[in-house]
Amino acid sequence: MATDHVKQAAPYPGLLRLLDGVEGFLAAIERRVAALSMLVIMLGITLTIITRVVWLPLPSTGEIAVVAMAPLTFVGGAFCSYMHRHITIDAVDVFGPPNVQRVIRFLSSLAMAGFAGMYCWLTLSFLEYVWSSGERLIDLGTPVWVPVSCIVLGSFLMLVHAVLDMVRIALGLPRTEAGS
């Protein structure tokens, strides 16, 4: 099936393999980060519940769960953008000629790139602030730069996926197989 995918991109088979390889590599990491984050959230909440029920003199591990929500949300969001499961105009796949669908998909990816780029840029200045201030969360003293860096990373990865999708659309290359 992968060979059919490459054959569809007759003038650019090497470029398609490169794009598929880069996005596939990033997506594999994003999927693992999201899954690990979910596991950390569940363990953090479970440990907090056990601590409270048994009256153990331990600090709340709910902070760990809250911090793990940042990579789950933003790096997981980047994975959703790779899978083409992000917010978009789904009706475009049903209505309109293929050229109109292509333009709308390009505009959708352009809007996503604009949003992700702006969000990344804005949170980067926030990351610089929390890094320099040394600000920490209350319960366990987790540095605030940890979750904020996940927001910057996730936004950047969304930007990468949107730009690579725009390249695919502009060159007439098929979408990633994961998004098909």
Side-chain angles (χ1 to χ4, degrees):
M1 182 168 184
T3 56
D4 293 338
H5 179 66
V6 174
K7 285 179 187 176
Q8 289 176 345
Y12 309 103
L15 178 60
L16 183 62
R17 283 189 189 103
L18 176 67
L19 292 176
D20 284 349
V22 168
E23 279 200 293
F25 174 75
L26 291 175
I29 293 170
E30 293 160 0
R31 182 178 54 235
R32 285 174 177 86
V33 166
L36 181 62
S37 298
M38 190 63 181
L39 178 65
V40 168
I41 290 168
M42 291 187 316
L43 291 174
I45 291 171
T46 301
L47 188 56
T48 293
I49 291 170
I50 291 170
T51 300
R52 288 182 182 172
V53 168
V54 186
W55 295 85
L56 294 174
L58 299 173
S60 173
T61 55
E63 182 177 295
I64 294 170
V66 170
V67 170
M69 286 182 201
L72 176 64
T73 302
F74 290 94
V75 178
F79 181 65
C80 288
S81 66
Y82 165 76
M83 297 289 292
H84 303 287
R85 300 289 185 244
H86 51 79
I87 299 172
T88 187
I89 306 168
D90 294 329
V92 75
D93 294 332
V94 179
F95 300 109
N99 287 340
V100 172
Q101 291 178 0
R102 186 174 172 188
V103 168
I104 293 174
R105 280 192 192 106
F106 186 86
L107 292 174
S108 175
S109 291
L110 180 63
M112 184 171 159
F115 168 79
M118 182 65 78
Y119 205 73
C120 183
W121 180 67
L122 290 172
T123 55
L124 189 58
S125 64
F126 184 50
L127 176 61
E128 291 170 349
Y129 166 74
V130 296
W131 179 270
S132 65
S133 72
E135 200 170 329
R136 295 180 172 273
L137 297 174
I138 295 173
D139 288 337
L140 300 175
T142 306
V144 175
W145 65 262
V146 173
V148 173
S149 64
C150 293
I151 298 170
V152 173
L153 176 63
S155 300
F156 176 75
L157 290 168
M158 285 182 214
L159 174 63
V160 169
H161 288 302
V163 168
L164 292 179
D165 200 39
M166 289 170 32
V167 169
R168 287 174 188 274
I169 294 166
L171 295 176
L173 298 172
R175 288 179 135 182
T176 57
E177 290 183 22
S180 299

